[in-house]
Amino acid sequence: MNNLSQSVRTRFAPSPTGEVHIGSIRTALFAFLFARHHNGVNVLRIEDTDQSRKVDGAVENMISVMLKMGIEFDEGVVLQNGKIEQVGDYGPYIQSERLDYYQNHVKQLIEAQKAYYCFCSSERLDELRKEQTALKQPPMYDRLCRKLSADEVAQKLSEFESEEKKPVVRQALPEEGKTVVKDLVYGEISYDHALLDDQVLLKSDGFPTYHLAVVVDDHLMKISHVIRGEEWIPSTPKHILLYQAFGWEAPNFAHLPLILNPDKTKLSKRQGDVAVEDFLAKGYLPEVLLNFVALLGWNPKTEQEIFTKEELVQQFDLEKVNKSGAVFDIEKLNWMNGMYLRERSNEELLKLVSPFLEQGGINIADYPNEFLLAIIEIEKERLKVLSQIVEHTSFYFTQPEYDTAILVWKKADSADAKQKLSVVIEFLNTLSEADFQTTVIEEKLKSWIAKKQFDTGSVLWPLRVSLSGLERSPSPFELISALYKNGGLSTVISRIQTAIDKLN
Ligand code: GLU
C-alpha cells in the first residue's frame, strides 16, 4: 500500500433507472477494487435527481446484484433485511433527499457571481438553438441573462414569487482561457473555455442538475477519486470550474474506457445481453462475472486471466487501466464460466443446476441422487452456462425422440444395426450389477465385441444412438452406466429395444 492509504474515498453514483448494465457494474467494481486496494472507503450514492427516470425497486435490485457479485460498500446506501438504509456521516446519500444542500450552495455561487438566474423561455432557447444549428455553430446559451443588472434580476425574480416554477440558475463560466483535466487514465486534456456552455445548475423545479449535485456531493462526501465512464470526460472541465467557483479542491478523476461489441461499436442491447441480471439468470456465476468484468479495460500486464476477488483487490490499480475501448467477448466469458464450473465438485454443480432443471420441467426429487451426479460427471466438461443443462441432459430423463436413420452406422445397414442391438441386449443380460460402472462396462463390451469379431462401430454406434437419440453424445459406456443408476438394466434395455422396434 502506498501513501494514498486511509485517504482514499471512492464512490459509485448510479442513477437507478432499471437494470444494471455491464458498464455500470464495471464502474462499481473498479471503484470498489481501488478503495479496497488502498484500504479506503467505498461509498454508494443514489443520483435520482431526474425524477422522471426513476424506477421503483431499481435501487434494491441494483444493490442486490452488486452484493451477489461481491461488490461491497462501506458507506452510503445499503440493504438491510431487504430495506434501504443509509449509513455514514455525510448523508443523506440519496440526492433527492439533499435538495437543501444544492439550493444553499447555489445561493453562495449567485452571491459570488459565479452563477446567475436565467429567465429565458424555452421558446427563446429553442429559437436560439435553431439559429445556431443553421449557422453550423455549436448550440450554446448566449448568456443573455448574465448581462442583467442586479435591479433587473430583482425585478424579474419578484414576478416569480407566486409561481411554482422558478427561474433556472446557470453556471457563469469564464469566457477566455482554458481548463486542463488531469485524468489518471487519459492524461491531460485541455478544454477551451470559449467552447463551454453556461450550463444549468438548478432546474426550475428546484432540483439540481447532475453537474451541480455531483460536485457538491463529491466534495461534501470527501471523495478523493472520482471513477466513472469515459462519457463523463466532457463534463469534467465544467466540474473543475465549479470546484474552483466554490473555492474547493477538486478530487482526482479517472475515466474508464468504453465497452465495445466485437464489431467495435458501443456495447448495446441490440447485439446481445447487457444487463448483469440477464447473465446471472442464464447461469453465469457471479464470481466469473466479477473476474470477467475486471478485465474490461484493466490489464494486469501479466498472463494471468483467472482472479479471485482477493487477487483483484491486491493487484488492481488505476495505472493499469487502458484508454482504448474494451471489447466484450462473450466467447471468453463462456470459456471462463465453463472453467469455473468444472472446478466445482459434482455435488456443488448439481446444486447449481437444480433450479435450471426444475425450470426445464425436470422434477429432481423423482430421480436418484447418484443418477443425477453421474449426469453431472459426464456433462460438466461441455457445460459453459448453467442454463444449458436442460438442453444438454434432457435425453437422460426422458426416452429421446430421433430419426431412425441416425441409428445406422455409416459402414453398415439397418438390418445389421437391428441384429447388433439384439445381441447387445442378450449380452447385457448376462452381466451383474458391478459390471455397470463406466470403465468396467467399457472393458466388458469391448472384449465381447472383439471375441465376436464385430466391427466396433457397427455395435457401438447404434448402441450409443439408441441411448441418447443424438448423432453426437457421450460414449455408450458412460450412458449405460448413468442410465443404469435410474432404474437399473431395464432402463437401458428399454431404450435399446425401442431402437430395435424403430428399425423394423
Ligand atoms: N449518475 C451518473 C451516472 O448515472 C454518475 C456519473 C458520475 O459518476 O459522476 O452515471
Side-chain angles (χ1 to χ4, degrees), residues 353-504:
V353 297
S354 291
F356 292 92
L357 288 171
E358 297 277 352
Q359 256 175 45
I362 295 157
N363 190 8
I364 303 283
D366 294 346
Y367 299 94
N369 206 45
E370 56 164 0
F371 168 60
L372 298 168
L373 290 172
I375 298 176
I376 299 289
E377 172 62 25
I378 300 171
E379 295 294 335
K380 70 196 292 187
E381 271 308 306
R382 282 199 306 147
L383 200 62
K384 293 207 166 104
V385 185
L386 293 173
S387 57
Q388 289 173 328
I389 194 74
V390 179
E391 180 196 328
H392 287 189
T393 65
S394 61
F395 72 85
Y396 290 93
F397 299 97
T398 38
Q399 278 243 16
E401 297 285 334
Y402 54 92
D403 176 2
T404 315
I406 65 166
L407 280 166
V408 181
W409 185 48
K410 57 181 190 296
K411 292 191 201 155
D413 58 22
S414 157
D416 182 67
K418 196 171 151 184
Q419 193 259 331
K420 295 287 165 45
L421 289 176
S422 306
V423 287
V424 166
I425 293 185
E426 282 171 27
F427 174 65
L428 292 179
N429 272 319
T430 67
L431 301 178
S432 56
E433 194 176 338
D435 295 330
F436 288 93
Q437 296 306 320
T438 309
T439 48
V440 185
I441 192 71
E442 176 166 4
E443 201 270 312
K444 295 262 168 191
L445 267 169
K446 282 184 172 165
S447 54
W448 173 75
I449 290 168
K451 205 171 87 199
K452 292 274 182 189
Q453 298 188 322
F454 291 148
D455 249 336
T456 311
S458 74
V459 179
L460 296 186
W461 178 276
L463 174 59
R464 191 183 53 70
V465 175
S466 73
L467 299 171
S468 68
L470 298 167
E471 267 190 284
R472 258 168 255 284
S473 69
S475 75
F477 321 114
E478 290 168 295
L479 297 178
I480 291 177
S481 163
L483 292 168
Y484 189 88
K485 295 185 172 67
N486 181 34
L489 189 53
S490 63
T491 311
V492 178
I493 289 185
S494 113
R495 292 200 177 193
I496 306 175
Q497 190 57 52
T498 306
I500 294 171
D501 298 343
K502 270 171 160 289
L503 286 162
N504 270 330

Side-chain angles (χ1 to χ4, degrees), residues 11-16 24 27 45-48 53 95 210 214 218 226-229 231-232 239 255:
R11 73 347 180 238
F12 178 50
S15 302
S24 307
T27 303
R45 178 175 75 226
I46 304 301
E47 303 209 328
D48 61 345
R53 291 174 68 218
Q95 287 187 331
Y210 157 71
V214 81
D218 284 339
V226 167
I227 299 173
R228 61 186 172 200
E231 67 273 25
W232 300 108
H239 297 175
H255 289 88

